[in-house]
Amino acid sequence: MEFDYDLFVIGGGSGGVRAGRVAAQEGAKVALAEEDRYGGTCVIRGCVPKKLMVFASEFAHAAEDAQAYGWDIQPGAFDWDVFRGKLYAELDRLENVYRNILGNNGVETFDQRAKVADAHTVELADGTRKTAKHILLAVGGRPTKLDVPGAELAITSNDIFHLDKLPETILIVGGGYIASEFAGILNGLGVKTTQFYRGAQILRGFDDETRNLVASEMIEKGIDLQVNTNVVSLEQDGDKVKVLDTNGTTTTFDKVMFATGRAPNTDGLGLTEVGVEIGRKGEVVVDDYSQTAVPSIYAVGDVTDRVNLTPVAIREGMAFVETVFKGNPTKPDHELIPTAIFTQPEIGTVGLSEEEARAQEPIEVYSTSFKPMQQSFAGRSEKVLMKLVVSQKTRKVLGCHIVAPGAGEMIQLAGIAVKMGATKEDFDRTVAVHPTMSEEIVTMKSPVRTG
Ligand code: NDP
């Protein structure tokens, strides 16, 4: 049977664009449909604008620190309009980069929504039908809101980049990546920030010592973190929002942001109708090769709800092309993924937490917390953490956890060693780079805990 295309990709985010581009470079005839902006969550409403906001917010104390280092410099005010204008221009530039990558590689694009009509057919919003030998679902996810009265009054991370002005006060609900990162950003930009988390400590799933330090530093920086607290209802109060919480307290905020999780974008895509299996959270169920229950349909990225990170979606897209267009069946590797959480202070982490490792086997824990030179000289009391979790039996480093300025940059490199299976003794025989913060990762001599 003759198809219009070898591959039709639905979704122009990190995973879809990469898979489409590389398949086209392999000689495949490729089309891609995107209903919103090219670049997807990461580029348009996620990692990229978020990180630029982190940079903006970190200047809050730069003038004071410079003064401490002898500079005659005065603190000034943050201008949201100036920043937002530059942010929009940068996102326009990046969106063009993504469009051009596709165009330059001969991928035909359709700026409209697409859904699956059958195992080899895609239907565009204008009613046109296109056939393809393979269909790749790369439609990502979206933020969800809590099911409470007045939820429509809350914003999500999608809206935060488009505010007309910065609020004076904000409540952020949730204790995950997005909630904790935006609490730091908004607090840094001068917004009086409250964070509610329903459990005992934010950043569930991360190493306990790591999240305890981050939470205490966030409180130290001025965030009103209220754990064991959740929202009961929201109510309009003039141009503000009145919040009733689970402690029975009512507080009024300028804005309320829900960062209580994300859901895969599978609604209305025609998937169950054609036999694609959908899981409990609405995710597309795939096998190790990203293939769905319909052999001609594959899925990568957040829509599969495996590890929801841009570089992972890209890897999954590359493995899909390798498998389907290069005749080399390849499973994306989801083991030992290094990652950064851009809280303030920042976290870099790879491998098992102390708690996960201890549940698995006898371990040694090497950990040190100290005031870094640059901040300490400026009179700041903030602390950093360097930590290794080591297997007693194999001596392998099972987990590396860093809380420090630049921790994301550090963990990329430590991640190579951990991925290679480095032992504690391999770390030890690496000479320290002095004077740095990260030298502590190779100079910790005695375990602080064993067993
Ligand atoms: P997460 O799943 O990380 O966090 C959701 C938070 O909302 C958790 O604290 C969760 O609590 C809480 N929550 C869930 N349901 C409720 C409820 N009914 N009431 C109150 N609280 C609730 O999701 P995010 O939206 O923060 O991030 C989504 C994903 O995006 C991440 O998992 C990550 O993969 C990715 N991401 C990565 C970033 C990075 O790499 N730096 C940055 C941003 C996002 P509980 O813990 O108790 O379940």
Side-chain angles (χ1 to χ4, degrees):
M1 182 179 165
E2 267 294 294
F3 296 108
D4 297 330
Y5 301 99
D6 298 314
L7 172 65
F8 199 107
V9 182
I10 308 182
S14 304
V17 169
R18 176 62 68 93
R21 191 251 294 175
V22 180
Q25 285 171 341
E26 285 301 312
K29 191 173 179 215
V30 182
L32 184 149
E34 168 58 57
E35 65 175 332
D36 200 322
R37 299 186 65 183
Y38 286 72
T41 297
C42 176
V43 176
I44 303 299
R45 58 193 88 84
C47 327
V48 171
K50 177 276 304 286
K51 185 108 192 246
L52 291 168
M53 283 182 83
V54 169
F55 288 140
S57 68
E58 284 178 342
F59 284 104
H61 300 289
E64 286 165 26
D65 286 0
Q67 282 172 350
Y69 275 85
W71 286 87
D72 177 12
I73 194 169
Q74 295 311 314
F78 174 70
D79 189 328
W80 171 248
D81 286 339
V82 171
F83 171 76
R84 201 183 54 168
K86 291 204 67 178
L87 177 69
Y88 283 0
E90 177 63 2
L91 299 186
D92 289 348
R93 187 185 72 80
L94 289 171
E95 183 178 10
N96 265 326
V97 169
Y98 272 74
R99 271 185 189 279
N100 292 339
I101 285 173
L102 293 171
N104 294 342
N105 286 287
V107 176
E108 195 176 338
T109 51
F110 298 94
D111 293 358
Q112 48 184 313
R113 187 170 168 79
K115 62 180 211 166
V116 176
D118 67 40
H120 292 285
T121 309
V122 163
E123 184 177 308
L124 295 167
D126 66 8
T128 325
R129 288 189 164 212
K130 302 284 180 191
T131 59
K133 187 163 185 214
H134 295 100
I135 296 170
L136 180 67
L137 307 169
V139 292
R142 61 177 188 284
T144 53
K145 285 188 174 180
L146 292 184
D147 185 13
V148 294
E152 69 283 358
L153 301 172
I155 62 169
T156 68
S157 59
N158 281 356
D159 310 305
I160 201 87
F161 310 109
H162 302 291
L163 295 173
D164 290 335
K165 61 182 176 67
L166 278 184
E168 277 175 30
T169 59
I170 193 164
L171 168 66
I172 297 180
V173 186
Y177 281 77
I178 298 180
S180 305
E181 290 183 340
F182 275 101
I185 290 168
L186 292 161
N187 179 59
L189 294 178
V191 179
K192 194 169 175 303
T193 304
T194 304
Q195 183 178 359
F196 283 0
Y197 175 54
R198 64 176 172 180
Q201 185 56 286
I202 59 169
L203 297 169
R204 184 169 62 85
F206 290 93
D207 180 83
D208 278 355
E209 203 175 0
T210 302
R211 59 201 194 118
N212 288 342
L213 176 62
V214 171
S216 64
E217 292 289 339
M218 285 169 65
I219 293 166
E220 184 70 23
K221 284 177 190 286
I223 295 165
D224 179 12
L225 174 60
Q226 300 188 24
V227 295
N228 298 314
T229 305
N230 207 352
V231 164
V232 174
S233 64
L234 308 182
E235 202 183 308
Q236 191 80 51
D237 182 6
D239 58 355
K240 299 180 193 293
V241 185
K242 195 158 78 180
V243 177
L244 174 63
D245 68 33
T246 44
N247 305 321
T249 309
T250 302
T251 320
T252 299
F253 300 92
D254 289 346
K255 290 277 180 216
V256 176
M257 175 175 148
F258 285 166
T260 44
R262 295 176 59 86
N265 274 334
T266 42
D267 296 348
L269 275 185
L271 298 178
T272 38
E273 293 86 329
V274 302
V276 170
E277 191 189 340
I278 301 294
R280 206 173 51 82
K281 292 176 68 187
E283 78 279 14
V284 173
V285 177
V286 289
D287 69 8
D288 287 350
Y289 297 92
S290 302
Q291 191 173 30
T292 72
V294 178
S296 57
I297 304 180
Y298 286 70
V300 296
D302 288 6
V303 76
T304 63
D305 196 31
R306 285 176 280 181
V307 180
N308 298 335
L309 299 172
T310 279
V312 175
I314 290 173
R315 291 291 176 112
E316 290 167 358
M318 297 291 280
F320 156 76
V321 173
E322 199 66 33
T323 301
V324 173
F325 292 98
K326 293 168 89 171
N328 175 27
T330 303
K331 299 178 187 179
D333 178 0
H334 292 112
E335 295 299 311
L336 292 172
I337 296 168
T339 185
I341 303 101
F342 295 98
T343 40
Q344 297 177 35
E346 192 171 309
I347 305 173
T349 177
V350 61
L352 301 179
S353 66
E354 179 179 339
E355 297 70 33
E356 286 167 333
R358 183 170 293 117
Q360 178 181 294
E361 63 184 280
I363 54 167
E364 287 179 355
V365 177
Y366 296 82
S367 169
T368 176
S369 188
F370 55 95
K371 288 186 194 170
M373 190 193 222
Q374 185 184 356
Q375 287 73 14
S376 158
F377 185 86
R380 301 205 171 282
S381 60
E382 64 194 49
K383 283 188 163 176
V384 303
L385 172 75
M386 302 283 158
K387 176 167 179 177
L388 294 176
V389 179
V390 177
S391 162
Q392 281 189 20
K393 185 158 162 253
T394 66
R395 304 301 299 152
K396 276 190 185 172
V397 175
L398 303 173
C400 176
H401 310 282
I402 300 177
V403 178
E409 304 288 347
M410 297 179 203
I411 208 67
Q412 180 69 83
L413 303 179
I416 300 172
V418 175
K419 185 80 184 165
M420 289 176 75
T423 60
K424 175 67 170 69
E425 287 63 38
D426 290 324
F427 274 69
D428 291 347
R429 62 197 176 81
T430 306
V431 173
V433 178
H434 187 71
T436 63
M437 291 178 277
S438 53
E439 67 180 302
E440 298 285 332
I441 215 81
V442 297
T443 55
M444 292 184 286
K445 291 290 167 245
S446 319
V448 291
R449 286 181 288 283
T450 52

